[in-house]
PDB file of all heavy atoms in Angstrom:
ATOM      1  N   CYS O 128      -4.425   4.666 -14.014  1.00 85.00           N
ATOM      2  CA  CYS O 128      -4.526   3.686 -15.093  1.00 85.00           C
ATOM      3  C   CYS O 128      -4.847   4.339 -16.438  1.00 85.00           C
ATOM      4  O   CYS O 128      -4.569   3.766 -17.491  1.00 85.00           O
ATOM      5  CB  CYS O 128      -5.578   2.630 -14.756  1.00 85.00           C
ATOM      6  SG  CYS O 128      -5.095   1.532 -13.416  1.00 85.00           S
ATOM      7  N   LYS O 129      -5.432   5.518 -16.393  1.00 83.00           N
ATOM      8  CA  LYS O 129      -5.723   6.253 -17.629  1.00 83.00           C
ATOM      9  C   LYS O 129      -4.562   7.149 -18.036  1.00 83.00           C
ATOM     10  O   LYS O 129      -4.680   7.983 -18.922  1.00 83.00           O
ATOM     11  CB  LYS O 129      -6.997   7.078 -17.449  1.00 83.00           C
ATOM     12  CG  LYS O 129      -8.262   6.231 -17.355  1.00 83.00           C
ATOM     13  CD  LYS O 129      -9.490   7.089 -17.120  1.00 83.00           C
ATOM     14  CE  LYS O 129     -10.743   6.218 -17.004  1.00 83.00           C
ATOM     15  NZ  LYS O 129     -11.955   7.037 -16.725  1.00 83.00           N
ATOM     16  N   ASN O 130      -3.417   6.943 -17.361  1.00 83.00           N
ATOM     17  CA  ASN O 130      -2.167   7.624 -17.704  1.00 83.00           C
ATOM     18  C   ASN O 130      -2.189   9.117 -17.430  1.00 83.00           C
ATOM     19  O   ASN O 130      -1.491   9.890 -18.075  1.00 83.00           O
ATOM     20  CB  ASN O 130      -1.812   7.370 -19.175  1.00 83.00           C
ATOM     21  CG  ASN O 130      -0.313   7.399 -19.409  1.00 83.00           C
ATOM     22  OD1 ASN O 130       0.467   7.105 -18.518  1.00 83.00           O
ATOM     23  ND2 ASN O 130       0.092   7.762 -20.609  1.00 83.00           N
ATOM     24  N   HIS O 131      -2.996   9.536 -16.442  1.00 90.00           N
ATOM     25  CA  HIS O 131      -3.002  10.942 -16.040  1.00 90.00           C
ATOM     26  C   HIS O 131      -1.746  11.238 -15.231  1.00 90.00           C
ATOM     27  O   HIS O 131      -1.300  10.424 -14.434  1.00 90.00           O
ATOM     28  CB  HIS O 131      -4.243  11.262 -15.202  1.00 90.00           C
ATOM     29  CG  HIS O 131      -5.492  11.352 -16.013  1.00 90.00           C
ATOM     30  ND1 HIS O 131      -6.309  12.459 -15.990  1.00 90.00           N
ATOM     31  CD2 HIS O 131      -6.062  10.494 -16.883  1.00 90.00           C
ATOM     32  CE1 HIS O 131      -7.340  12.269 -16.805  1.00 90.00           C
ATOM     33  NE2 HIS O 131      -7.214  11.074 -17.350  1.00 90.00           N
ATOM     34  N   LYS O 132      -1.180  12.412 -15.430  1.00 90.00           N
ATOM     35  CA  LYS O 132       0.005  12.824 -14.697  1.00 90.00           C
ATOM     36  C   LYS O 132      -0.375  13.255 -13.278  1.00 90.00           C
ATOM     37  O   LYS O 132      -1.530  13.549 -12.983  1.00 90.00           O
ATOM     38  CB  LYS O 132       0.703  13.979 -15.417  1.00 90.00           C
ATOM     39  CG  LYS O 132       1.071  13.671 -16.873  1.00 90.00           C
ATOM     40  CD  LYS O 132       1.987  12.465 -16.963  1.00 90.00           C
ATOM     41  CE  LYS O 132       2.372  12.190 -18.428  1.00 90.00           C
ATOM     42  NZ  LYS O 132       3.169  10.954 -18.566  1.00 90.00           N
ATOM     43  N   GLY O 133       0.645  13.334 -12.418  1.00 91.00           N
ATOM     44  CA  GLY O 133       0.405  13.690 -11.028  1.00 91.00           C
ATOM     45  C   GLY O 133      -0.326  15.007 -10.850  1.00 91.00           C
ATOM     46  O   GLY O 133      -1.286  15.107 -10.074  1.00 91.00           O
ATOM     47  N   ASP O 134       0.112  16.035 -11.582  1.00 92.00           N
ATOM     48  CA  ASP O 134      -0.519  17.352 -11.468  1.00 92.00           C
ATOM     49  C   ASP O 134      -1.986  17.302 -11.898  1.00 92.00           C
ATOM     50  O   ASP O 134      -2.842  17.963 -11.301  1.00 92.00           O
ATOM     51  CB  ASP O 134       0.227  18.379 -12.318  1.00 92.00           C
ATOM     52  CG  ASP O 134       1.595  18.729 -11.738  1.00 92.00           C
ATOM     53  OD1 ASP O 134       1.809  18.434 -10.540  1.00 92.00           O
ATOM     54  OD2 ASP O 134       2.429  19.279 -12.465  1.00 92.00           O
ATOM     55  N   GLU O 135      -2.258  16.508 -12.920  1.00 93.00           N
ATOM     56  CA  GLU O 135      -3.631  16.388 -13.418  1.00 93.00           C
ATOM     57  C   GLU O 135      -4.523  15.702 -12.387  1.00 93.00           C
ATOM     58  O   GLU O 135      -5.674  16.103 -12.179  1.00 93.00           O
ATOM     59  CB  GLU O 135      -3.649  15.591 -14.729  1.00 93.00           C
ATOM     60  CG  GLU O 135      -2.938  16.276 -15.879  1.00 93.00           C
ATOM     61  CD  GLU O 135      -2.820  15.400 -17.110  1.00 93.00           C
ATOM     62  OE1 GLU O 135      -2.805  14.157 -16.953  1.00 93.00           O
ATOM     63  OE2 GLU O 135      -2.738  15.949 -18.209  1.00 93.00           O
ATOM     64  N   ILE O 136      -3.980  14.683 -11.727  1.00 93.00           N
ATOM     65  CA  ILE O 136      -4.745  13.961 -10.705  1.00 93.00           C
ATOM     66  C   ILE O 136      -5.036  14.878  -9.523  1.00 93.00           C
ATOM     67  O   ILE O 136      -6.162  14.921  -9.013  1.00 93.00           O
ATOM     68  CB  ILE O 136      -3.986  12.701 -10.245  1.00 93.00           C
ATOM     69  CG1 ILE O 136      -3.817  11.718 -11.415  1.00 93.00           C
ATOM     70  CG2 ILE O 136      -4.723  12.020  -9.083  1.00 93.00           C
ATOM     71  CD1 ILE O 136      -2.952  10.515 -11.091  1.00 93.00           C
ATOM     72  N   CYS O 137      -4.015  15.621  -9.095  1.00 93.00           N
ATOM     73  CA  CYS O 137      -4.194  16.532  -7.965  1.00 93.00           C
ATOM     74  C   CYS O 137      -5.261  17.577  -8.268  1.00 93.00           C
ATOM     75  O   CYS O 137      -6.119  17.871  -7.423  1.00 93.00           O
ATOM     76  CB  CYS O 137      -2.875  17.234  -7.637  1.00 93.00           C
ATOM     77  SG  CYS O 137      -1.636  16.151  -6.903  1.00 93.00           S
ATOM     78  N   LYS O 138      -5.222  18.120  -9.459  1.00 93.00           N
ATOM     79  CA  LYS O 138      -6.190  19.143  -9.847  1.00 93.00           C
ATOM     80  C   LYS O 138      -7.590  18.557  -9.958  1.00 93.00           C
ATOM     81  O   LYS O 138      -8.575  19.155  -9.495  1.00 93.00           O
ATOM     82  CB  LYS O 138      -5.783  19.768 -11.183  1.00 93.00           C
ATOM     83  CG  LYS O 138      -6.683  20.909 -11.626  1.00 93.00           C
ATOM     84  CD  LYS O 138      -6.169  21.534 -12.918  1.00 93.00           C
ATOM     85  CE  LYS O 138      -7.087  22.675 -13.360  1.00 93.00           C
ATOM     86  NZ  LYS O 138      -6.585  23.311 -14.616  1.00 93.00           N
ATOM     87  N   SER O 139      -7.698  17.374 -10.564  1.00 92.00           N
ATOM     88  CA  SER O 139      -8.992  16.739 -10.765  1.00 92.00           C
ATOM     89  C   SER O 139      -9.666  16.382  -9.447  1.00 92.00           C
ATOM     90  O   SER O 139     -10.890  16.532  -9.290  1.00 92.00           O
ATOM     91  CB  SER O 139      -8.833  15.482 -11.619  1.00 92.00           C
ATOM     92  OG  SER O 139     -10.054  14.805 -11.781  1.00 92.00           O
ATOM     93  N   LEU O 140      -8.880  15.908  -8.479  1.00 92.00           N
ATOM     94  CA  LEU O 140      -9.434  15.451  -7.202  1.00 92.00           C
ATOM     95  C   LEU O 140      -9.268  16.478  -6.077  1.00 92.00           C
ATOM     96  O   LEU O 140      -9.701  16.222  -4.951  1.00 92.00           O
ATOM     97  CB  LEU O 140      -8.773  14.125  -6.798  1.00 92.00           C
ATOM     98  CG  LEU O 140      -8.948  12.962  -7.785  1.00 92.00           C
ATOM     99  CD1 LEU O 140      -8.195  11.734  -7.294  1.00 92.00           C
ATOM    100  CD2 LEU O 140     -10.419  12.633  -7.999  1.00 92.00           C
ATOM    101  N   ASP O 141      -8.647  17.593  -6.418  1.00 89.00           N
ATOM    102  CA  ASP O 141      -8.435  18.676  -5.446  1.00 89.00           C
ATOM    103  C   ASP O 141      -7.669  18.171  -4.217  1.00 89.00           C
ATOM    104  O   ASP O 141      -8.103  18.335  -3.074  1.00 89.00           O
ATOM    105  CB  ASP O 141      -9.773  19.298  -5.020  1.00 89.00           C
ATOM    106  CG  ASP O 141      -9.588  20.619  -4.271  1.00 89.00           C
ATOM    107  OD1 ASP O 141      -8.543  21.261  -4.473  1.00 89.00           O
ATOM    108  OD2 ASP O 141     -10.483  20.988  -3.487  1.00 89.00           O
ATOM    109  N   ILE O 142      -6.539  17.535  -4.484  1.00 89.00           N
ATOM    110  CA  ILE O 142      -5.684  17.042  -3.403  1.00 89.00           C
ATOM    111  C   ILE O 142      -4.266  17.537  -3.630  1.00 89.00           C
ATOM    112  O   ILE O 142      -3.889  17.920  -4.738  1.00 89.00           O
ATOM    113  CB  ILE O 142      -5.685  15.498  -3.316  1.00 89.00           C
ATOM    114  CG1 ILE O 142      -5.219  14.879  -4.642  1.00 89.00           C
ATOM    115  CG2 ILE O 142      -7.069  14.977  -2.921  1.00 89.00           C
ATOM    116  CD1 ILE O 142      -5.120  13.370  -4.624  1.00 89.00           C
ATOM    117  N   SER O 143      -3.446  17.521  -2.588  1.00 87.00           N
ATOM    118  CA  SER O 143      -2.066  17.972  -2.696  1.00 87.00           C
ATOM    119  C   SER O 143      -1.172  16.853  -3.226  1.00 87.00           C
ATOM    120  O   SER O 143      -1.566  15.683  -3.261  1.00 87.00           O
ATOM    121  CB  SER O 143      -1.553  18.417  -1.328  1.00 87.00           C
ATOM    122  OG  SER O 143      -1.406  17.295  -0.466  1.00 87.00           O
ATOM    123  N   LYS O 144       0.060  17.210  -3.613  1.00 87.00           N
ATOM    124  CA  LYS O 144       1.007  16.219  -4.108  1.00 87.00           C
ATOM    125  C   LYS O 144       1.380  15.217  -3.015  1.00 87.00           C
ATOM    126  O   LYS O 144       1.559  14.023  -3.292  1.00 87.00           O
ATOM    127  CB  LYS O 144       2.264  16.907  -4.641  1.00 87.00           C
ATOM    128  CG  LYS O 144       2.027  17.672  -5.932  1.00 87.00           C
ATOM    129  CD  LYS O 144       3.322  18.258  -6.466  1.00 87.00           C
ATOM    130  CE  LYS O 144       3.088  18.987  -7.776  1.00 87.00           C
ATOM    131  NZ  LYS O 144       4.327  19.581  -8.326  1.00 87.00           N
ATOM    132  N   ASN O 145       1.502  15.696  -1.789  1.00 84.00           N
ATOM    133  CA  ASN O 145       1.823  14.789  -0.676  1.00 84.00           C
ATOM    134  C   ASN O 145       0.693  13.802  -0.422  1.00 84.00           C
ATOM    135  O   ASN O 145       0.930  12.626  -0.129  1.00 84.00           O
ATOM    136  CB  ASN O 145       2.114  15.589   0.592  1.00 84.00           C
ATOM    137  CG  ASN O 145       3.482  16.244   0.567  1.00 84.00           C
ATOM    138  OD1 ASN O 145       4.378  15.785  -0.145  1.00 84.00           O
ATOM    139  ND2 ASN O 145       3.652  17.313   1.326  1.00 84.00           N
ATOM    140  N   THR O 146      -0.560  14.293  -0.553  1.00 86.00           N
ATOM    141  CA  THR O 146      -1.715  13.411  -0.373  1.00 86.00           C
ATOM    142  C   THR O 146      -1.755  12.365  -1.473  1.00 86.00           C
ATOM    143  O   THR O 146      -2.022  11.179  -1.229  1.00 86.00           O
ATOM    144  CB  THR O 146      -3.020  14.220  -0.383  1.00 86.00           C
ATOM    145  OG1 THR O 146      -2.987  15.182   0.667  1.00 86.00           O
ATOM    146  CG2 THR O 146      -4.231  13.313  -0.177  1.00 86.00           C
ATOM    147  N   LEU O 147      -1.469  12.781  -2.704  1.00 89.00           N
ATOM    148  CA  LEU O 147      -1.440  11.845  -3.829  1.00 89.00           C
ATOM    149  C   LEU O 147      -0.366  10.785  -3.607  1.00 89.00           C
ATOM    150  O   LEU O 147      -0.584   9.599  -3.866  1.00 89.00           O
ATOM    151  CB  LEU O 147      -1.182  12.595  -5.131  1.00 89.00           C
ATOM    152  CG  LEU O 147      -1.004  11.711  -6.376  1.00 89.00           C
ATOM    153  CD1 LEU O 147      -2.237  10.851  -6.623  1.00 89.00           C
ATOM    154  CD2 LEU O 147      -0.704  12.585  -7.601  1.00 89.00           C
ATOM    155  N   LYS O 148       0.797  11.216  -3.124  1.00 87.00           N
ATOM    156  CA  LYS O 148       1.883  10.276  -2.847  1.00 87.00           C
ATOM    157  C   LYS O 148       1.446   9.223  -1.832  1.00 87.00           C
ATOM    158  O   LYS O 148       1.740   8.035  -1.980  1.00 87.00           O
ATOM    159  CB  LYS O 148       3.100  11.042  -2.335  1.00 87.00           C
ATOM    160  CG  LYS O 148       4.329  10.172  -2.118  1.00 87.00           C
ATOM    161  CD  LYS O 148       5.524  11.018  -1.668  1.00 87.00           C
ATOM    162  CE  LYS O 148       6.755  10.163  -1.450  1.00 87.00           C
ATOM    163  NZ  LYS O 148       7.925  10.975  -1.016  1.00 87.00           N
ATOM    164  N   TYR O 149       0.711   9.662  -0.828  1.00 79.00           N
ATOM    165  CA  TYR O 149       0.212   8.745   0.194  1.00 79.00           C
ATOM    166  C   TYR O 149      -0.761   7.738  -0.431  1.00 79.00           C
ATOM    167  O   TYR O 149      -0.692   6.533  -0.174  1.00 79.00           O
ATOM    168  CB  TYR O 149      -0.489   9.522   1.308  1.00 79.00           C
ATOM    169  CG  TYR O 149      -1.293   8.651   2.244  1.00 79.00           C
ATOM    170  CD1 TYR O 149      -0.684   7.952   3.283  1.00 79.00           C
ATOM    171  CD2 TYR O 149      -2.671   8.484   2.063  1.00 79.00           C
ATOM    172  CE1 TYR O 149      -1.419   7.130   4.117  1.00 79.00           C
ATOM    173  CE2 TYR O 149      -3.409   7.664   2.897  1.00 79.00           C
ATOM    174  CZ  TYR O 149      -2.786   6.992   3.916  1.00 79.00           C
ATOM    175  OH  TYR O 149      -3.512   6.183   4.737  1.00 79.00           O
ATOM    176  N   TYR O 150      -1.686   8.246  -1.251  1.00 86.00           N
ATOM    177  CA  TYR O 150      -2.681   7.368  -1.863  1.00 86.00           C
ATOM    178  C   TYR O 150      -2.022   6.360  -2.810  1.00 86.00           C
ATOM    179  O   TYR O 150      -2.414   5.190  -2.861  1.00 86.00           O
ATOM    180  CB  TYR O 150      -3.731   8.181  -2.613  1.00 86.00           C
ATOM    181  CG  TYR O 150      -4.757   8.847  -1.720  1.00 86.00           C
ATOM    182  CD1 TYR O 150      -5.160  10.158  -1.952  1.00 86.00           C
ATOM    183  CD2 TYR O 150      -5.327   8.168  -0.648  1.00 86.00           C
ATOM    184  CE1 TYR O 150      -6.113  10.769  -1.139  1.00 86.00           C
ATOM    185  CE2 TYR O 150      -6.267   8.768   0.176  1.00 86.00           C
ATOM    186  CZ  TYR O 150      -6.656  10.072  -0.075  1.00 86.00           C
ATOM    187  OH  TYR O 150      -7.592  10.677   0.731  1.00 86.00           O
ATOM    188  N   ARG O 151      -1.037   6.811  -3.567  1.00 87.00           N
ATOM    189  CA  ARG O 151      -0.331   5.899  -4.477  1.00 87.00           C
ATOM    190  C   ARG O 151       0.278   4.729  -3.699  1.00 87.00           C
ATOM    191  O   ARG O 151       0.125   3.564  -4.086  1.00 87.00           O
ATOM    192  CB  ARG O 151       0.797   6.646  -5.206  1.00 87.00           C
ATOM    193  CG  ARG O 151       0.367   7.494  -6.389  1.00 87.00           C
ATOM    194  CD  ARG O 151       1.601   8.129  -7.017  1.00 87.00           C
ATOM    195  NE  ARG O 151       1.291   9.019  -8.107  1.00 87.00           N
ATOM    196  CZ  ARG O 151       1.178   8.640  -9.383  1.00 87.00           C
ATOM    197  NH1 ARG O 151       1.326   7.377  -9.700  1.00 87.00           N
ATOM    198  NH2 ARG O 151       0.909   9.541 -10.312  1.00 87.00           N
ATOM    199  N   LYS O 152       0.972   5.055  -2.629  1.00 84.00           N
ATOM    200  CA  LYS O 152       1.621   4.029  -1.812  1.00 84.00           C
ATOM    201  C   LYS O 152       0.582   3.084  -1.238  1.00 84.00           C
ATOM    202  O   LYS O 152       0.772   1.855  -1.230  1.00 84.00           O
ATOM    203  CB  LYS O 152       2.421   4.692  -0.692  1.00 84.00           C
ATOM    204  CG  LYS O 152       3.192   3.708   0.170  1.00 84.00           C
ATOM    205  CD  LYS O 152       4.037   4.443   1.209  1.00 84.00           C
ATOM    206  CE  LYS O 152       4.818   3.463   2.080  1.00 84.00           C
ATOM    207  NZ  LYS O 152       5.649   4.161   3.102  1.00 84.00           N
ATOM    208  N   SER O 153      -0.532   3.632  -0.766  1.00 81.00           N
ATOM    209  CA  SER O 153      -1.591   2.816  -0.183  1.00 81.00           C
ATOM    210  C   SER O 153      -2.228   1.892  -1.218  1.00 81.00           C
ATOM    211  O   SER O 153      -2.484   0.714  -0.949  1.00 81.00           O
ATOM    212  CB  SER O 153      -2.666   3.731   0.421  1.00 81.00           C
ATOM    213  OG  SER O 153      -3.742   2.966   0.928  1.00 81.00           O
ATOM    214  N   ILE O 154      -2.461   2.419  -2.411  1.00 86.00           N
ATOM    215  CA  ILE O 154      -3.096   1.640  -3.480  1.00 86.00           C
ATOM    216  C   ILE O 154      -2.221   0.454  -3.875  1.00 86.00           C
ATOM    217  O   ILE O 154      -2.687  -0.683  -3.975  1.00 86.00           O
ATOM    218  CB  ILE O 154      -3.388   2.532  -4.698  1.00 86.00           C
ATOM    219  CG1 ILE O 154      -4.530   3.495  -4.384  1.00 86.00           C
ATOM    220  CG2 ILE O 154      -3.743   1.680  -5.925  1.00 86.00           C
ATOM    221  CD1 ILE O 154      -4.685   4.610  -5.391  1.00 86.00           C
ATOM    222  N   TYR O 155      -0.932   0.706  -4.111  1.00 84.00           N
ATOM    223  CA  TYR O 155      -0.035  -0.383  -4.498  1.00 84.00           C
ATOM    224  C   TYR O 155       0.072  -1.430  -3.395  1.00 84.00           C
ATOM    225  O   TYR O 155       0.168  -2.637  -3.661  1.00 84.00           O
ATOM    226  CB  TYR O 155       1.352   0.168  -4.846  1.00 84.00           C
ATOM    227  CG  TYR O 155       1.456   0.701  -6.257  1.00 84.00           C
ATOM    228  CD1 TYR O 155       1.504   2.071  -6.508  1.00 84.00           C
ATOM    229  CD2 TYR O 155       1.495  -0.160  -7.342  1.00 84.00           C
ATOM    230  CE1 TYR O 155       1.589   2.563  -7.798  1.00 84.00           C
ATOM    231  CE2 TYR O 155       1.585   0.313  -8.644  1.00 84.00           C
ATOM    232  CZ  TYR O 155       1.632   1.686  -8.863  1.00 84.00           C
ATOM    233  OH  TYR O 155       1.715   2.163 -10.155  1.00 84.00           O
ATOM    234  N   SER O 156       0.034  -0.978  -2.148  1.00 80.00           N
ATOM    235  CA  SER O 156       0.113  -1.905  -1.030  1.00 80.00           C
ATOM    236  C   SER O 156      -1.141  -2.762  -0.932  1.00 80.00           C
ATOM    237  O   SER O 156      -1.067  -3.990  -0.805  1.00 80.00           O
ATOM    238  CB  SER O 156       0.313  -1.125   0.272  1.00 80.00           C
ATOM    239  OG  SER O 156       0.272  -1.992   1.393  1.00 80.00           O
ATOM    240  N   LYS O 157      -2.307  -2.128  -1.006  1.00 80.00           N
ATOM    241  CA  LYS O 157      -3.570  -2.851  -0.845  1.00 80.00           C
ATOM    242  C   LYS O 157      -3.852  -3.806  -2.008  1.00 80.00           C
ATOM    243  O   LYS O 157      -4.458  -4.863  -1.816  1.00 80.00           O
ATOM    244  CB  LYS O 157      -4.719  -1.862  -0.700  1.00 80.00           C
ATOM    245  CG  LYS O 157      -4.751  -1.128   0.639  1.00 80.00           C
ATOM    246  CD  LYS O 157      -5.938  -0.187   0.720  1.00 80.00           C
ATOM    247  CE  LYS O 157      -6.006   0.509   2.073  1.00 80.00           C
ATOM    248  NZ  LYS O 157      -7.176   1.439   2.158  1.00 80.00           N
ATOM    249  N   THR O 158      -3.444  -3.426  -3.217  1.00 81.00           N
ATOM    250  CA  THR O 158      -3.703  -4.275  -4.377  1.00 81.00           C
ATOM    251  C   THR O 158      -2.592  -5.286  -4.619  1.00 81.00           C
ATOM    252  O   THR O 158      -2.674  -6.106  -5.521  1.00 81.00           O
ATOM    253  CB  THR O 158      -3.884  -3.423  -5.647  1.00 81.00           C
ATOM    254  OG1 THR O 158      -2.691  -2.653  -5.873  1.00 81.00           O
ATOM    255  CG2 THR O 158      -5.072  -2.476  -5.520  1.00 81.00           C
ATOM    256  N   ARG O 159      -1.533  -5.170  -3.808  1.00 79.00           N
ATOM    257  CA  ARG O 159      -0.386  -6.084  -3.922  1.00 79.00           C
ATOM    258  C   ARG O 159       0.207  -6.067  -5.325  1.00 79.00           C
ATOM    259  O   ARG O 159       0.582  -7.099  -5.883  1.00 79.00           O
ATOM    260  CB  ARG O 159      -0.793  -7.512  -3.532  1.00 79.00           C
ATOM    261  CG  ARG O 159      -1.266  -7.634  -2.099  1.00 79.00           C
ATOM    262  CD  ARG O 159      -1.698  -9.040  -1.770  1.00 79.00           C
ATOM    263  NE  ARG O 159      -2.337  -9.121  -0.469  1.00 79.00           N
ATOM    264  CZ  ARG O 159      -2.942 -10.201   0.001  1.00 79.00           C
ATOM    265  NH1 ARG O 159      -2.971 -11.307  -0.722  1.00 79.00           N
ATOM    266  NH2 ARG O 159      -3.507 -10.184   1.196  1.00 79.00           N
ATOM    267  N   THR O 160       0.276  -4.884  -5.895  1.00 80.00           N
ATOM    268  CA  THR O 160       0.893  -4.709  -7.205  1.00 80.00           C
ATOM    269  C   THR O 160       2.155  -3.872  -7.028  1.00 80.00           C
ATOM    270  O   THR O 160       2.295  -3.149  -6.045  1.00 80.00           O
ATOM    271  CB  THR O 160      -0.060  -4.006  -8.188  1.00 80.00           C
ATOM    272  OG1 THR O 160      -0.485  -2.750  -7.626  1.00 80.00           O
ATOM    273  CG2 THR O 160      -1.286  -4.866  -8.467  1.00 80.00           C
ATOM    274  N   SER O 161       3.049  -3.960  -8.011  1.00 79.00           N
ATOM    275  CA  SER O 161       4.309  -3.229  -7.893  1.00 79.00           C
ATOM    276  C   SER O 161       4.653  -2.435  -9.144  1.00 79.00           C
ATOM    277  O   SER O 161       5.716  -1.830  -9.221  1.00 79.00           O
ATOM    278  CB  SER O 161       5.453  -4.205  -7.587  1.00 79.00           C
ATOM    279  OG  SER O 161       5.543  -5.196  -8.595  1.00 79.00           O
ATOM    280  N   SER O 162       3.754  -2.462 -10.152  1.00 80.00           N
ATOM    281  CA  SER O 162       4.014  -1.715 -11.377  1.00 80.00           C
ATOM    282  C   SER O 162       2.695  -1.226 -11.958  1.00 80.00           C
ATOM    283  O   SER O 162       1.615  -1.725 -11.610  1.00 80.00           O
ATOM    284  CB  SER O 162       4.720  -2.592 -12.413  1.00 80.00           C
ATOM    285  OG  SER O 162       3.840  -3.602 -12.877  1.00 80.00           O
ATOM    286  N   LEU O 163       2.776  -0.257 -12.864  1.00 81.00           N
ATOM    287  CA  LEU O 163       1.581   0.263 -13.520  1.00 81.00           C
ATOM    288  C   LEU O 163       0.877  -0.835 -14.308  1.00 81.00           C
ATOM    289  O   LEU O 163      -0.351  -0.917 -14.316  1.00 81.00           O
ATOM    290  CB  LEU O 163       1.959   1.421 -14.453  1.00 81.00           C
ATOM    291  CG  LEU O 163       0.821   2.015 -15.297  1.00 81.00           C
ATOM    292  CD1 LEU O 163      -0.291   2.549 -14.407  1.00 81.00           C
ATOM    293  CD2 LEU O 163       1.353   3.110 -16.209  1.00 81.00           C
ATOM    294  N   SER O 164       1.654  -1.689 -14.953  1.00 79.00           N
ATOM    295  CA  SER O 164       1.069  -2.777 -15.746  1.00 79.00           C
ATOM    296  C   SER O 164       0.207  -3.690 -14.875  1.00 79.00           C
ATOM    297  O   SER O 164      -0.910  -4.044 -15.250  1.00 79.00           O
ATOM    298  CB  SER O 164       2.174  -3.597 -16.417  1.00 79.00           C
ATOM    299  OG  SER O 164       2.968  -2.781 -17.235  1.00 79.00           O
ATOM    300  N   GLU O 165       0.737  -4.086 -13.725  1.00 80.00           N
ATOM    301  CA  GLU O 165      -0.019  -4.951 -12.820  1.00 80.00           C
ATOM    302  C   GLU O 165      -1.258  -4.235 -12.295  1.00 80.00           C
ATOM    303  O   GLU O 165      -2.320  -4.847 -12.146  1.00 80.00           O
ATOM    304  CB  GLU O 165       0.872  -5.388 -11.649  1.00 80.00           C
ATOM    305  CG  GLU O 165       2.002  -6.323 -12.046  1.00 80.00           C
ATOM    306  CD  GLU O 165       2.893  -6.673 -10.856  1.00 80.00           C
ATOM    307  OE1 GLU O 165       2.694  -6.074  -9.782  1.00 80.00           O
ATOM    308  OE2 GLU O 165       3.778  -7.527 -11.019  1.00 80.00           O
ATOM    309  N   LEU O 166      -1.120  -2.940 -12.032  1.00 83.00           N
ATOM    310  CA  LEU O 166      -2.246  -2.157 -11.524  1.00 83.00           C
ATOM    311  C   LEU O 166      -3.364  -2.069 -12.559  1.00 83.00           C
ATOM    312  O   LEU O 166      -4.546  -2.154 -12.226  1.00 83.00           O
ATOM    313  CB  LEU O 166      -1.770  -0.755 -11.131  1.00 83.00           C
ATOM    314  CG  LEU O 166      -2.717   0.060 -10.240  1.00 83.00           C
ATOM    315  CD1 LEU O 166      -2.915  -0.638  -8.890  1.00 83.00           C
ATOM    316  CD2 LEU O 166      -2.159   1.466 -10.028  1.00 83.00           C
ATOM    317  N   ILE O 167      -2.994  -1.908 -13.834  1.00 83.00           N
ATOM    318  CA  ILE O 167      -3.982  -1.846 -14.913  1.00 83.00           C
ATOM    319  C   ILE O 167      -4.743  -3.160 -15.019  1.00 83.00           C
ATOM    320  O   ILE O 167      -5.975  -3.179 -15.131  1.00 83.00           O
ATOM    321  CB  ILE O 167      -3.296  -1.508 -16.255  1.00 83.00           C
ATOM    322  CG1 ILE O 167      -2.803  -0.060 -16.243  1.00 83.00           C
ATOM    323  CG2 ILE O 167      -4.264  -1.721 -17.421  1.00 83.00           C
ATOM    324  CD1 ILE O 167      -1.898   0.283 -17.414  1.00 83.00           C
ATOM    325  N   ILE O 168      -4.020  -4.274 -14.989  1.00 80.00           N
ATOM    326  CA  ILE O 168      -4.662  -5.588 -15.065  1.00 80.00           C
ATOM    327  C   ILE O 168      -5.617  -5.773 -13.885  1.00 80.00           C
ATOM    328  O   ILE O 168      -6.743  -6.265 -14.038  1.00 80.00           O
ATOM    329  CB  ILE O 168      -3.613  -6.721 -15.069  1.00 80.00           C
ATOM    330  CG1 ILE O 168      -2.731  -6.616 -16.329  1.00 80.00           C
ATOM    331  CG2 ILE O 168      -4.298  -8.080 -15.007  1.00 80.00           C
ATOM    332  CD1 ILE O 168      -3.459  -6.748 -17.633  1.00 80.00           C
TER     333      ILE O 168
END
């Protein structure tokens, strides 16, 4: 939501790109959102 890029998120949280991809999918599913705008709200 703070517009950090994928590489920045991985570095900040010490996770791999595949792990980030998994978390992204999980977050959108759990919050029932489908876009960045909806996720921010």
Side-chain angles (χ1 to χ4, degrees):
C128 290
K129 290 178 181 178
N130 209 28
H131 285 235
K132 304 301 181 185
D134 289 343
E135 295 173 333
I136 297 174
C137 289
K138 184 177 180 179
S139 177
L140 300 177
D141 193 24
I142 58 177
S143 69
K144 290 184 178 180
N145 284 336
T146 301
L147 175 59
K148 185 177 180 180
Y149 167 81
Y150 283 137
R151 280 182 183 271
K152 183 176 180 180
S153 177
I154 289 167
Y155 278 106
S156 175
K157 288 181 178 180
T158 59
R159 298 178 189 172
T160 56
S161 58
S162 68
L163 176 59
S164 302
E165 292 177 353
L166 196 63
I167 290 169
I168 297 299

